[in-house]
Amino acid sequence: MFFTFEAKNDCDNALRSVAKGDKSALVEIYREYGKMIYSLAFHYSGSKSDAEDILQDTMLKIMKQAHNYRHGSSPKAWVLSVARSCALDYVKKRGDGISLDAFDTDIAFTTDSDEHIYIADALKTLTKDEQILLKLRYYAGLDLKEAAKVLNISHSAARKRCQRALDKLKDYFDEKEEIK
């Protein structure tokens, strides 16, 4: 799911409006990024109800922190950074750590075709850090620099992690092809 330049501008303007006190502009932010925020929240919490709570917390924090957004930068990266922060805070308060079993493939794959199950199985071979990076990169459409910012890692670490994950997927698919 990639967003147009127009959507980026709309969200950029919506964040500016929220910073000026226009709470109704949150609707635009939710419309564009709500599913991604929920997916990220689910990744960290492992629970649908917790992910919903984190989504709400994220929207509240966006409302309170919109003045910190730099106009012209990536609204998606900024919003997902806020979501990640909320998710980590929520899980920390819950006290049981980040769920290692959480990876919401339902959002990425809406059908249960053999091809989608095959891809979901391949993704399970990756670490959770690699999974979330690929999800940010290819599902959310962030570039590596933006994904690194969301994950609070360096650009070079994101590049290495992404390459390692893609290499693992290539090896997985090559191995499956040899079996056929």
Side-chain angles (χ1 to χ4, degrees), residues 4-173:
T4 64
F5 182 71
E6 186 176 300
K8 179 182 175 188
N9 284 338
D10 290 346
C11 289
D12 188 84
N13 290 332
L15 283 168
R16 290 174 60 196
S17 294
V18 170
K20 293 176 185 174
D22 180 7
K23 295 175 185 170
S24 67
L26 281 172
V27 172
E28 177 68 22
I29 296 164
Y30 178 80
R31 186 178 60 76
E32 288 296 330
Y33 304 125
K35 286 183 181 180
M36 282 184 261
I37 294 168
Y38 176 86
S39 181
L40 187 76
F42 184 83
H43 171 79
Y44 282 104
S45 69
S47 159
K48 290 181 180 185
S49 64
D50 287 349
E52 291 168 359
D53 290 344
I54 293 165
L55 173 59
Q56 290 177 0
D57 290 349
T58 300
M59 297 309 290
L60 289 172
K61 192 168 185 179
I62 287 169
M63 192 170 55
K64 292 176 186 174
Q65 298 295 321
H67 65 279
N68 292 326
Y69 171 71
R70 259 187 20 249
H71 173 63
S73 63
S74 172
K76 188 187 308 181
W78 188 84
V79 166
L80 292 177
S81 292
V82 171
R84 180 180 179 271
S85 174
C86 287
L88 291 173
D89 289 347
Y90 190 93
V91 171
K92 196 180 297 182
K93 285 179 191 172
R94 193 174 66 189
D96 62 353
I98 295 171
S99 171
L100 296 178
D101 297 324
F103 183 66
D104 188 6
T105 55
D106 292 341
I107 291 173
F109 307 117
T110 56
T111 66
D112 288 332
S113 72
D114 289 341
E115 182 178 301
H116 291 155
I117 292 168
Y118 186 59
I119 293 169
D121 287 345
L123 290 172
K124 289 177 186 174
T125 66
L126 304 177
T127 67
K128 296 302 167 185
D129 289 339
E130 291 166 342
Q131 289 176 6
I132 193 66
L133 177 63
L134 291 183
K135 193 174 219 182
L136 289 171
R137 179 80 175 97
Y138 298 106
Y139 170 69
L142 298 180
D143 64 30
L144 281 174
K145 194 173 186 178
E146 293 169 326
K149 182 179 176 186
V150 170
L151 296 172
N152 200 25
I153 60 176
S154 70
H155 180 247
S156 62
R159 189 173 52 248
K160 287 178 187 175
R161 188 178 293 172
C162 187
Q163 188 58 53
R164 186 172 45 244
L166 293 173
D167 288 346
K168 284 182 182 179
L169 290 175
K170 181 184 180 307
D171 291 345
Y172 176 86
F173 289 120

